[in-house]
Structure formats: structure tokens, C-alpha cells
Amino acid sequence: MLEILDYAFMQRALLAAVLVGITAPAVGIYLVQRRQAIMGDGIGHVALTGVALGFLTGTNPVWTAVAVSALGAILMELIRWYGKTRGDLALAMLFYGGMAGGVLLINLSPTGSNANLTTYLFGSITTVSPEDVVAISLLAAFVVLITLGLRRQLFAVCQDEEFARVTGLPVRTLNLLLAVTAAVTVTVAMRVVGLLLVSALMVVPVAAAQQATRGFAMTLALAITIGVVVTLSGTVFSFYKNVPPGASIVVLAIGVFAVITALAAPLAKRRAGRVAEAEERCTLRDDVLV
């Protein structure tokens, strides 16, 4: 089992997997709370244009993807504010335009091809370069700094924007910062999970953690733990079975969700029964006192 560490590319892939496992649920918990679970998928479509732009200009696709996806995330947030009835249509055009732009630009690039896009769409453990590891590490540090350092402010905004605004929080600034952080997370994860599946890694570990925990802090901690476990396990599995790591990671995450849900359901029913029994005792006691 440890012979996997003899390969330099697997050392880089496993490091990237750990960073993805931490950052994706750390951002996803806010998106789930805001009922914007699909946002990561939309950003992934837009980021594809950034990847293709990197090949076209001869720069690292990670950095061009960060720039383009951040711009796309800001546009999504602006559409959410001002789009009203036409918002869904504008978002759809943004998503499809991002995918089409990526395919067009990659074919205009002298060094790129549709095969290059496939590694970014579904992830590829063999293509994580030392430069990618540096970029992913810096971007992951930014994500962790924002999601943990501003967790109280972001939680307040995601829970109730109107209340947060009344308390004096810069709601729009925090919303834009969260959108940019989600965009950065997508680019962090695209090498390992892939742009088409990164949204699942943002959502599924959080959904699994919510089945077994109460409170924001415990849910966040368990979601990150699940994220790290499934990304590492999926990456190792993809190495031995020669399958795309993104698919392996997402299937494992869904499996963990199913197991936790199955185990948590009886416990929740038992807890609800105890609460009902306690309330009944209180009611009977009050009747006796009256």
C-alpha cells in the first residue's frame, strides 16, 4: 500500500486531494445553507473557458481559471441581485457560454486539444504538476482563511441577509467574497475531482454531516473529515484501478452519505420519541398541578 508514495506524481496528487477535501466542504456548507448547491456546477462551466484561455496564452491554466471563474462568480451574484424574472435565463447563458467558450478556445490553441479539457472535466491524478501544487496550496490557504476566519459573518449572512444587514454587516461585500471563494475552490479541485463533479464534493459531505450532527461547528468539522477521507480514498482507488479520480471520489462520497443517513435515521426517530415522551410527562405534571 505504501508503495504508492514512491511515485512523485502520486505524492502531489494526494497532497492536492487533501487540500480539495478541506476546501470544498468548507465553502459548500455556506452554499448549502443559502440553497445555492448548484452554484459550484455553474462556476465549473465558466472555469472551463479559463482553462482553455491558459492553453491559448501559454500560461498556467489554474491561474487563468481562477481569474475567469472569479469574474463569472461575481456576475452570478450580480444577476442574483438585479436579475429578477430574467435571472435564470441570464445564468443559463453564462453557464452554457462558459462551456462553449472553453471548447472553442481550446481548439484555437496550438498546444491544446479536447483531450486536455477531459483531464480538467473529470480530474486526472497524473497531470498534477509541481507548479499546480504550489498554485493549489496558495489558493487553498486563501479559501481556509476566508471560510474559517469569517465564519461568523458568513454564517449570519447565509442564515438571514436582512438580519445581517440590520446588525451592520457588509452583506453585499460578504456575498461577493463568498462567490469568489467558491470560484477559487472550483479551480483548487479541478485537477483532482474535475470541473463537472466539483459541485458534488461541495454538497455531498455537508449533506452527510447534517444527518449526524447539530450545530454549525460540528457539521463543518465532520464535513471536512468526510471530504478528506473520500478524496484520499478515491485518489488511491483511481491509481490502482486506472479510473478517473473525480468519479471515484463522488461515488464514495455518495456512499458515505447513504451509510450515515441509514445509521442516523433510527437515532433521530429514537431522539424524537424521547422528546415527545418528555413533553407528555411535562403536560401530565402540569395537569396534576392545576
Side-chain angles (χ1 to χ4, degrees):
M1 182 65 178
L2 292 179
E3 70 272 8
I4 193 174
L5 297 177
D6 294 335
Y7 301 94
F9 75 91
M10 280 307 301
Q11 295 173 10
R12 296 191 294 269
L14 291 172
L15 176 58
V18 170
L19 295 176
V20 170
I22 293 172
T23 55
V27 173
I29 192 170
Y30 300 107
L31 299 182
V32 170
Q33 194 171 5
R34 293 178 65 180
R35 295 179 176 85
Q36 291 182 328
I38 202 68
M39 184 178 182
D41 188 49
I43 295 175
H45 284 69
V46 177
L48 192 64
T49 295
V51 171
L53 186 62
F55 281 102
L56 185 63
T57 59
T59 57
N60 190 327
V62 173
W63 295 114
T64 52
V66 168
V68 174
S69 59
L71 179 60
I74 292 172
L75 287 175
M76 291 179 206
E77 193 62 27
L78 293 176
I79 290 171
R80 189 176 73 89
W81 291 344
Y82 304 113
K84 297 183 181 179
T85 57
R86 307 288 297 198
D88 290 343
L89 180 60
L91 286 174
M93 287 191 294
L94 184 64
F95 297 168
Y96 300 143
M99 180 71 74
V103 175
L104 179 63
L105 291 178
I106 198 67
N107 283 279
L108 292 175
S109 170
T111 60
S113 66
N114 289 334
N116 296 119
L117 287 186
T118 302
T119 63
Y120 288 91
L121 288 173
F122 300 103
S124 177
I125 59 176
T126 61
T127 59
V128 180
S129 66
E131 294 77 13
D132 289 336
V133 171
V134 173
I136 291 171
S137 299
L138 292 174
L139 295 171
F142 168 80
V143 172
V144 171
L145 181 65
I146 297 299
T147 55
L148 298 185
L150 297 177
R151 62 188 181 279
R152 294 182 179 179
Q153 293 88 334
L154 292 175
F155 176 81
V157 170
C158 294
Q159 187 73 17
D160 190 337
E161 284 193 7
E162 292 302 323
F163 177 77
R165 188 175 288 108
V166 170
T167 59
L169 289 175
V171 173
R172 288 194 173 182
T173 301
L174 289 170
N175 279 332
L176 286 174
L177 184 59
L178 180 59
V180 172
T181 305
V184 171
T185 303
V186 168
T187 56
V188 168
M190 66 182 181
R191 278 300 205 184
V192 177
V193 185
L195 293 172
L196 293 183
L197 298 174
V198 63
S199 184
L201 193 58
M202 288 181 173
V203 175
V204 177
V206 176
Q210 288 177 335
Q211 305 298 312
T213 59
R214 291 182 176 182
F216 178 80
M218 288 297 296
T219 301
L220 177 61
L222 182 56
I224 290 176
T225 300
I226 294 172
V228 172
V229 170
V230 298
T231 50
L232 283 176
S233 302
T235 302
V236 172
F237 179 81
S238 67
F239 170 77
Y240 286 107
K241 298 300 181 180
N242 194 28
V243 294
S248 303
I249 290 169
V250 172
V251 169
L252 283 173
I254 293 174
V256 171
F257 171 81
V259 171
I260 291 179
T261 300
L263 294 176
L267 294 177
K269 190 177 297 185
R270 190 177 305 172
R271 190 183 300 115
R274 290 175 181 174
V275 171
E277 185 179 346
E279 291 177 349
E280 185 178 353
R281 288 177 182 176
C282 290
T283 301
L284 292 174
R285 185 177 60 188
D286 291 342
D287 291 341
V288 171
L289 291 176
V290 172

